[in-house]
């Protein structure tokens, strides 16, 4: 009689500590929550949810080998079996002498067979296979359920489709002969179904229906409904000449690269430009925060306005907005009429060193589950396009794609830029179950955002990008998988900051003012000068150098903020490495001369001017009729409008007033700095990362729990008397009453206060009120609560 082989639980219990550590690191979901013992770990490893996660993480090589094992092996399951192994194995338990697996994969050379052997070992290491006593590999029971009914495009076995057929109908030689004898139209029909799908619709035309009838009569197709047929698995394999896959790709394809130079310098320039964009975003939204739409995002109109203010296209503006949100620099302020405003954290962030500012953005981008490239697209079943900062942009898969791209870029030598198409093929090999079109779009977006962010320069991974990749948790394939915490440590964040600081352009303290009223900043400006230039000039172009233009509106903006003409000119003269051109002095003087000629106060508001003709023009203007202006004196008008509204309307119609206070002093217009209030955030749960230290401790605990369970079983088996089964209280009461009537002894298990179970042989005398009165083995009278009796069985003579 064949000896029963082990189960998956036996395989798990028989693994060494290092093998158990590899298993948990490869499948961290097995450790959450911590299993009670190794048996519980094995049970969790065979659940559909856990197996599906493990299968989805396989690359194409491991997946093809797993599919071949499912098709080739008749013994699939987790429980002990008495079937004989299908092949002889060598001393290491490998399938070197088994031609079936290698034939399915189309592997012939010794080197390729060694690769397959390694992949099989990897699948065992991650718990998708288990080994019996004979070292034969068996597929975990739930793997075929996860792979689906059509593994590698093959249909169900012929005995499942038509149980009445005899085994000879699945004989490969007989099938091959039948296929060779098929008429040409029938053969063409089979060729269309060879590589999947295995289900087809019966043709309606006469010629097609006759070919299908011939195939059905010869059992090459099996009808599954009135108009559908299925190609049996055996027939599919015969059509494929015994190969499971059209192309067997066991190793990742190579990435085509080209050498590029100045990678770090270009990356530093991109990073500096991004920091400038975020400073400008905080300034723009701090002054005029856009409203949050009802669904919680940013409206298309406000995104376009932001793009115009930052001088960027919509895609890049959406990226800047999303990365600011991911880094908690902007947020919904939570008011009754919510707006998107900079948070209180933006002030501390702006004051910190540039490298640390960039590191916080890079880490936020790598950890974020939001996909900025989805902005403006229809996502899922939504009828409208996704808005920036909206819920439709949330896509957790993008975080894994970013990390996979960074890992592939980090595997290349410094200064090598990958070809996008070959990189796409490699990523598709890494994640074969992911839709190609979705992955292709995501890859293009990640590469584009990495260039904007400064993680890459001219397509190659920069030194700061490599530091960022090192700071992130690894997502290696089953072979050599590592486990780290989800999120970089503080030291890793500092390393990223230091790596970028060396390549950021140094802030400059000067500009080059030119006669055409422009000023060229040859690099990023230091804090105070940058604030002055943003206030007093408009950005005309960006790049390695930023070109600002002084205009009447920009000069008036500075004067409104409290700058005098003399202070303005003196600041520009001190900051310029070129002589101050006269046209700029004329511009500032001319704007300053007109600035404040007309003053507005509250009456609700009054207007006074020494130039009576200006007031006459205001009174005569139809456009100002809603202000209800009226003259109080030759040089004074009053209005019921708010002074700030009055100033804005007068400026809109060509006048240049300033506002004054009740004491006659000038009220300088400071740009408002709106900040979103800091919301109370729930304290995140303290979760230990599933890393090497945690896993080592977990495995030690599981070993101890298993040893304790074995010890309890040994003690239980060594005790006198029969094994006491766990019984229902109703059954226990019935058995005790029978023992009282028949004067039988009873073995009972009684739980104590410590949670243990003590065994007693008693002779019941009375059962009443939920208690049993009896004499024990020593003849002493005792009573026991029935609810503490875990089980009972009659004493055997």
């Amino acid at each position: 009689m064949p000896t029963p082989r082990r189960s998956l639980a036996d395989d798990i219990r028989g693994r060494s500590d290092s093998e158990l550590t590899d298993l948990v690191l490869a499948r961290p979901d097995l450790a959450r929550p911590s299993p009670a013992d190794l048996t519980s770990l094995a049970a969790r490893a065979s659940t559909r949810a856990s197996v599906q996660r493990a299968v989805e993480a396989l690359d194409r090589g491991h997946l093809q080998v797993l599919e071949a094992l499912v098709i080739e092996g008749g013994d699939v399951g987790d429980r002990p079996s008495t079937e004989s192994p299908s092949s002889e194995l060598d001393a290491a338990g490998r399938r070197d002498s088994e031609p079936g697996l290698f034939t399915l994969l189309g592997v012939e050379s010794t080197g390729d067979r060694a690769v397959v052997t390694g992949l099989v070992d990897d699948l065992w290491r991650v718990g998708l296979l288990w080994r019996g006593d004979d070292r034969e590999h068996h597929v975990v029971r739930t793997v075929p359920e996860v792979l689906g009914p059509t593994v590698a495009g093959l249909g169900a076995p012929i005995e499942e489709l038509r149980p009445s057929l005899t085994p000879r109908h699945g004989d490969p030689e007989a099938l091959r002969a039948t296929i060779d004898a098929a008429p040409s139209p029938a053969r063409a029909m089979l060729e269309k179904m060879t590589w999947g799908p295995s289900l087809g619709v019966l043709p309606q035309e006469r010629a097609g229906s006759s070919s299908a009838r011939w195939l059905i009569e010869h059992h090459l197709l099996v009808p599954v409904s009135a108009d559908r047929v299925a190609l049996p698995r055996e027939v599919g394999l015969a059509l494929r000449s015994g190969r499971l896959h059209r192309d067997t790709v066991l190793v990742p394809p190579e990435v085509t690269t080209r050498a590029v130079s100045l990678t770090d310098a270009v990356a530093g320039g991109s990073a500096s430009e991004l920091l400038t964009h975020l400073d400008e975003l905080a300034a723009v939204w701090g002054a005029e925060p856009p409203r949050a739409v009802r669904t919680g995002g940013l409206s298309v109109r406000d995104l376009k306005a932001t793009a115009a203010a930052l001088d960027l296209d919509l895609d890049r503006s959406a990226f800047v907005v999303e990365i600011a949100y991911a880094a908690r620099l902007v947020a919904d302020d939570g008011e009754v009429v919510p707006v998107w405003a900079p948070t209180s954290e933006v002030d501390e962030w702006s004051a910190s060193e540039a490298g640390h500012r960039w590191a916080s953005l890079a880490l936020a981008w790598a950890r974020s589950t939001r996909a900025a490239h989805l902005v403006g697209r229809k996502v899922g079943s939504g009828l409208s396009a996704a808005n920036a900062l909206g819920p439709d942009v949330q896509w957790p898969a993008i975080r894994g794609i970013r990390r996979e791209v960074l890992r592939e870029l980090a595997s290349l030598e410094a200064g090598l830029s990958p070809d996008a198409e070959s990189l796409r093929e490699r990523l598709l090999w890494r994640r074969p179950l992911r839709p190609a079109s979705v992955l292709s779009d995501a890859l293009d977006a990640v590469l584009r955002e990495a260039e904007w962010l400064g993680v890459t320069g001219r397509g190659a991974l920069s030194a700061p990008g490599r530091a960022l990749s090192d700071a992130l948790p690894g997502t290696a394939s089953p072979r050599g998988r590592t486990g780290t915490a989800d999120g970089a440590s503080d030291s890793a964040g500092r390393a990223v900051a230091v790596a970028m600081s060396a390549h950021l352009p140094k802030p400059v303290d000067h500009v080059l003012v030119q006669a055409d009223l422009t000023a060229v900043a040859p690099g990023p400006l230091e804090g105070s000068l940058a604030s002055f230039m943003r206030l007093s000039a408009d950005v005309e172009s960006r790049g390695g150098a930023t070109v600002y233009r002084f205009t009447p509106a920009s000069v008036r903006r500075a004067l409104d903020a409290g700058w005098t003409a003399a202070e303005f000119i003196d600041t520009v003269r001190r900051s310029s490495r070129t002589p101050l051109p006269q046209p700029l002095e004329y511009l500032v003087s001319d704007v300053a001369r007109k600035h404040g000629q007309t003053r507005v106060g509250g009456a609700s508001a009054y207007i006074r001017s020494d130039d009576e003709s200006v007031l006459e023009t205001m009174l005569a203007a139809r456009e100002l009729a809603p202000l209800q202006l009226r003259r109080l004196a030759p040089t004074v008008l009053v209005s019921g409008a708010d002074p700030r509204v009055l100033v804005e309307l007068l400026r809109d119609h060509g006048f240049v007033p300033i506002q004054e206070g009740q004491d006659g002093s000038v009220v300088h217009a400071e740009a408002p700095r709106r900040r979103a209030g800091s919301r109370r955030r729930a304290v995140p749960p303290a979760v230990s990362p599933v890393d090497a230290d945690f896993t080592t401790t977990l495995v030690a605990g599981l070993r101890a729990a298993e040893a304790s369970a074995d010890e309890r079983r040994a003690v239980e088996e060594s005790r006198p008397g029969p094994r006491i089964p766990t019984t229902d209280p109703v059954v226990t009461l019935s058995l005790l009453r029978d023992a009282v009537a028949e004067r039988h002894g009873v073995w009972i298990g009684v739980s104590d206060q410590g949670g243990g179970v003590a065994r007693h042989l008693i002779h019941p005398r009375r059962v009443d009120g939920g208690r049993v009165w009896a004499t024990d083995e020593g003849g002493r009278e005792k009573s026991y609560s029935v609810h503490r009796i875990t089980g009972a069985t009659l004493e055997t003579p």
Side-chain angles (χ1 to χ4, degrees):
M1 182 176 181
T3 343
R5 289 175 296 190
R6 301 191 304 169
S7 64
L8 173 63
D10 294 327
D11 178 276
I12 296 293
R13 284 193 291 266
R15 298 193 183 198
S16 65
D17 287 356
S18 63
E19 290 169 341
L20 288 173
T21 300
D22 289 342
L23 171 64
V24 176
L25 288 176
R27 296 171 63 177
D29 60 290
L30 300 181
R32 290 285 182 251
S34 296
D37 50 30
L38 293 177
T39 303
S40 301
L41 179 70
R44 192 175 298 174
S46 63
T47 60
R48 182 183 178 92
S50 181
V51 168
Q52 184 160 354
R53 291 191 191 97
V55 170
E56 288 176 350
L58 296 178
D59 56 43
R60 189 178 300 278
H62 289 89
L63 181 62
Q64 288 184 338
V65 170
L66 183 62
E67 289 175 335
L69 287 169
V70 171
I71 295 297
E72 177 269 340
D75 183 14
V76 176
D78 307 334
R79 300 188 177 92
S81 170
T82 57
E83 295 178 7
S84 301
S86 58
S87 63
E88 297 294 331
L89 286 94
D90 59 19
R94 299 190 174 106
R95 296 173 174 262
D96 259 355
S97 59
E98 179 184 350
L101 179 62
F102 297 135
T103 301
L104 286 171
L105 294 171
V107 169
E108 297 179 358
S109 68
T110 304
D112 289 342
R113 291 191 173 204
V115 171
V116 172
T117 299
L119 296 177
V120 171
D121 289 341
D122 290 339
L123 293 171
W124 173 82
R125 190 176 297 117
V126 300
L128 294 176
L129 304 177
W130 58 276
R131 292 173 182 163
D133 285 331
D134 49 13
R135 305 287 292 176
E136 174 78 6
H137 286 102
H138 308 274
V139 179
V140 171
R141 170 180 47 82
T142 43
V143 167
E145 299 175 13
V146 170
L147 293 178
T150 57
V151 179
L154 290 176
I158 197 167
E159 63 269 16
E160 292 184 14
L161 295 172
R162 184 68 66 83
S164 60
L165 295 178
T166 59
R168 66 179 182 82
H169 291 101
D171 180 64
E173 294 184 4
L175 287 174
R176 188 73 259 173
T178 307
I179 292 171
D180 292 340
S184 297
R187 182 63 183 272
M189 191 176 294
L190 289 176
E191 289 176 352
K192 290 181 180 180
M193 302 176 68
T194 297
W195 297 102
S198 60
L199 289 176
V201 179
L202 288 172
Q204 300 298 320
E205 68 274 7
R206 183 173 181 180
S209 61
S210 63
S211 299
R213 192 182 310 111
W214 190 94
L215 293 172
I216 292 173
E217 290 174 353
H218 289 78
H219 309 296
L220 298 181
L221 292 179
V222 177
V224 293
S225 66
D227 61 343
R228 292 182 179 272
V229 291
L231 184 73
R233 177 176 298 178
E234 294 83 355
V235 179
L237 281 174
L239 290 168
R240 299 180 185 187
S241 301
R243 291 176 61 104
L244 184 58
H245 306 97
R246 190 194 299 265
D247 297 307
T248 300
V249 187
L250 301 179
V251 295
E254 294 294 330
V255 177
T256 306
T257 59
R258 62 183 178 88
V260 294
S261 57
L262 302 177
T263 297
D264 295 338
V266 172
S270 299
S272 177
E273 191 173 357
L274 177 63
L275 295 179
T276 301
H277 291 323
L278 286 169
D279 287 336
E280 294 177 353
L281 179 70
V284 171
W285 282 15
E288 297 182 12
R291 289 184 59 176
V293 299
R294 182 169 54 85
T295 56
L298 182 69
S299 69
V300 176
R301 181 185 62 184
D302 288 329
L303 179 61
K304 289 181 178 179
T306 302
L310 301 181
D311 192 23
L312 299 173
D313 57 45
L314 288 179
D315 289 341
R316 194 164 184 180
S317 297
F319 168 71
V320 172
V321 168
E322 285 289 345
I323 199 171
Y325 179 72
R328 297 184 177 180
L329 301 180
V330 298
D332 176 349
D333 66 352
E335 299 293 337
V336 177
V337 180
V339 297
W340 291 103
T343 64
S344 56
E345 298 176 17
V346 77
D347 301 311
E348 180 182 353
W349 178 83
S350 299
S352 60
E353 192 268 332
H356 289 280
R357 296 169 67 197
W358 182 84
S360 66
L361 298 177
L363 290 169
W365 172 76
R367 297 171 182 167
S368 175
T369 56
R370 299 181 61 82
H373 73 282
L374 298 179
V375 173
R377 302 185 183 184
K378 290 185 178 181
V379 180
S381 58
L383 300 178
S384 58
N387 293 96
L389 303 180
D392 291 337
V393 184
Q394 188 76 17
W395 187 38
I398 192 66
R399 177 170 58 184
I401 295 174
R402 289 193 191 110
R403 294 178 179 180
E404 289 174 12
V405 172
L406 289 177
R407 183 189 64 186
E408 294 297 341
L409 293 176
S411 67
L412 304 175
E413 294 184 8
L416 293 182
S417 173
D419 172 67
E421 186 59 36
S422 63
L423 182 59
R424 182 177 294 107
E425 292 299 323
R426 190 176 179 94
L427 289 179
L428 286 173
W429 185 88
R430 293 284 185 199
R431 293 292 180 267
L433 297 179
R434 189 172 287 156
S437 59
V438 174
L439 180 61
S440 191
D441 289 344
L443 173 62
D444 292 339
V446 170
L447 292 177
R448 184 169 61 247
E449 292 174 3
E451 197 74 17
W452 290 340
L453 186 58
V455 172
T456 60
R458 302 183 66 187
L461 190 66
S462 62
R466 200 171 295 275
L468 175 64
S469 177
D470 294 340
L472 297 175
T475 52
S477 59
R479 187 177 302 183
R481 183 185 292 261
T482 59
T484 59
D486 187 9
S489 63
D490 292 339
S491 60
R494 287 193 295 270
V496 175
V498 170
M500 177 51 81
S501 296
H503 304 290
L504 283 170
K506 300 298 181 184
V508 297
D509 60 355
H510 65 275
V511 293
L512 306 175
V513 182
Q514 304 181 87
D516 60 351
L517 299 180
T518 60
V520 179
L525 298 175
E526 62 178 13
S528 59
L529 181 56
S531 300
F532 172 76
M533 293 302 296
R534 278 198 299 269
L535 176 67
S536 62
D538 298 327
V539 176
E540 191 167 83
S541 66
R542 305 179 190 274
T546 303
V547 178
Y548 297 89
R549 178 170 293 280
F550 295 101
T551 65
S554 68
V555 173
R556 189 182 69 226
R557 193 166 62 229
L559 298 179
D560 288 341
W563 291 76
T564 64
E567 291 172 340
F568 188 106
I569 291 174
D570 184 60
T571 300
V572 176
R573 180 179 284 114
R574 283 188 289 102
S575 302
S576 177
R577 291 288 177 88
T578 56
L580 190 68
Q582 283 189 339
L584 179 59
E585 294 188 58
Y586 293 155
L587 173 66
V588 175
S589 300
D590 185 55
V591 173
R593 187 181 70 255
K594 297 179 182 178
H595 188 263
Q597 284 184 346
T598 303
R599 304 196 173 200
V600 175
S604 294
Y606 66 84
I607 306 173
R608 70 179 182 88
S609 176
D610 294 335
D611 190 345
E612 297 182 21
S613 63
V614 173
L615 300 184
E616 292 288 350
T617 304
M618 293 180 184
L619 289 170
R622 291 185 178 181
E623 297 84 358
L624 300 179
L627 297 177
Q628 299 180 348
L629 299 174
R630 61 189 179 91
R631 189 190 294 270
L632 290 183
T635 58
V636 180
L637 301 179
V638 295
S639 170
D642 183 90
R644 290 175 296 180
V645 175
L646 192 55
V647 170
E648 293 296 329
L649 286 175
L650 290 176
R651 286 176 177 172
D652 289 344
H653 291 86
F655 300 97
V656 283
I658 61 172
Q659 186 177 350
E660 69 179 13
Q662 294 180 356
D663 59 354
S665 62
V666 175
V667 177
H668 297 298
E670 296 184 1
R673 299 178 63 197
R674 183 70 174 266
R675 293 292 182 264
S678 298
R679 297 185 183 182
R680 293 183 61 186
R681 293 188 175 94
V683 178
V687 178
S688 302
V690 183
D691 55 13
D693 293 338
F694 173 86
T695 307
T696 301
T697 304
L698 175 67
V699 169
L702 294 177
R703 285 287 188 206
E706 196 69 24
S708 177
D710 290 342
E711 183 178 349
R712 286 195 302 270
R713 283 192 292 268
V715 170
E716 185 74 21
E717 291 173 359
S718 64
R719 287 177 175 175
R723 178 180 174 275
I724 303 175
T726 301
T727 56
D728 187 89
V730 176
V731 176
T732 302
L733 281 171
S734 176
L735 189 146
L736 291 172
R737 289 191 179 102
D738 292 343
V740 170
E742 300 178 8
R743 299 182 179 275
H744 273 306
V746 179
W747 283 96
I748 60 173
V750 181
S751 61
D752 54 27
Q753 294 181 351
V757 177
R759 296 161 57 93
H760 299 281
L761 175 61
I762 64 173
H763 291 80
R765 296 286 180 259
R766 178 166 59 92
V767 178
D768 186 25
R771 299 187 69 83
V772 56
W773 282 264
T775 56
D776 62 9
E777 296 173 277
R780 295 180 295 272
E781 292 284 342
K782 288 189 176 182
S783 67
Y784 303 90
S785 295
V786 175
H787 75 273
R788 286 188 171 274
I789 299 177
T790 60
T793 184
L794 292 174
E795 179 188 19
T796 55

